[in-house]
Amino acid sequence: NLTFTKGRKFTPASISRFHELLENQNWLTLNSATTFDDAFTVFYNTFVSHFNSSFPETKILKRNTSYVKKGWVNSTVKKLSQDLKNFYHLQKMYPALKKLYLTHKCKYRQYIMNCKKSFYGNLIKSSDNKNKTVWSLISILNNNEKSHKNITLKNSETIIDDPQTIANTFNENFINGPQNIQRSIKRNIYSTSNFESNMTIRESMCALPFSETELLNCLKKSIKNKHSSGPDDIPNSLLRSSLHIIIKPVTHLVNMSFSNGVFPKELKLSTVHPVHKRVALEIARITDQFLLARRCQKSLNTPC
């Protein structure tokens, strides 16, 4: 049975349409906003609207794990398997055939191993991202399904599972933490005799506004060209390819953020996939399978 999941298709045509919508977008409403939150909301909603319009959610065929697990089974394997079963019942009736049965069984297992090596090796060899394919095969063969459940946070005696509340809790902790530490430090424990009497301590700092070229270079270095995305499903590769189009409103937002001392709350959310620790035996087993797959990639035995 075919199974489907929700996803988005990023084709060259849809990406071109997305870039065209951004190029034709008028950002006057953003520039006329009086507060940073209003300006960022205009930009974010507009960007997401064009994104959803260009890359609507559709049904995508889910990865066929059964093919990966049993794709190496061919007609010869089925025939040999049936012959081995018949041979098994025959040697039960005639014990003298047991040695011949065991020899036939060893040859069958060797043939199965060669078929698996050939099948998985071809999958890895034909893949554009070989390392990703190797780990994907390991995950499928070990029945490891990805979990996209939201994390929970225990704050005092309260269990928090709302992503926005969790983000705000972390944010408040980072803001209030240093202030609490500062208040806990005892005053006048250091002598001021070693300091110059005319020494001035600046209580503020000055940062020059970003230029479009400067910010564009910074973003190109920091945003990786990967397909991973956050809660909004916008992949980094798409965002990176759109930088030259949206750099003007983004520069305005960044400078406005620094001048107002405000960080957008939408960017405080992230997708976190906790990886639980495994026992040493499980790690060793997966490592062995990974090394086996790597050997299959380099040198394949005679194909089935």
Side-chain angles (χ1 to χ4, degrees), residues 72-120:
W72 51 269
V73 179
N74 52 33
S75 57
T76 305
V77 172
K78 293 179 181 179
K79 183 178 182 304
L80 291 177
S81 176
Q82 186 60 45
D83 292 344
L84 188 63
K85 291 178 182 178
N86 296 335
F87 211 157
Y88 172 78
H89 295 295
L90 191 62
Q91 63 93 23
K92 284 291 186 181
M93 298 172 58
Y94 304 98
L97 297 176
K98 184 174 182 180
K99 187 175 181 180
L100 187 61
Y101 163 75
L102 293 177
T103 303
H104 185 72
K105 185 178 180 180
C106 289
K107 291 182 179 180
Y108 172 75
R109 288 183 173 179
Q110 185 63 41
Y111 183 80
I112 292 294
M113 184 179 296
N114 291 338
C115 286
K116 288 183 178 181
K117 286 182 179 180
S118 177
F119 175 74
Y120 295 129

Side-chain angles (χ1 to χ4, degrees), residues 117-127 296 300 303:
K117 286 182 179 180
S118 177
F119 175 74
Y120 295 129
N122 288 333
L123 286 180
I124 297 171
K125 191 175 181 180
S126 60
S127 173
C296 292
L300 302 177

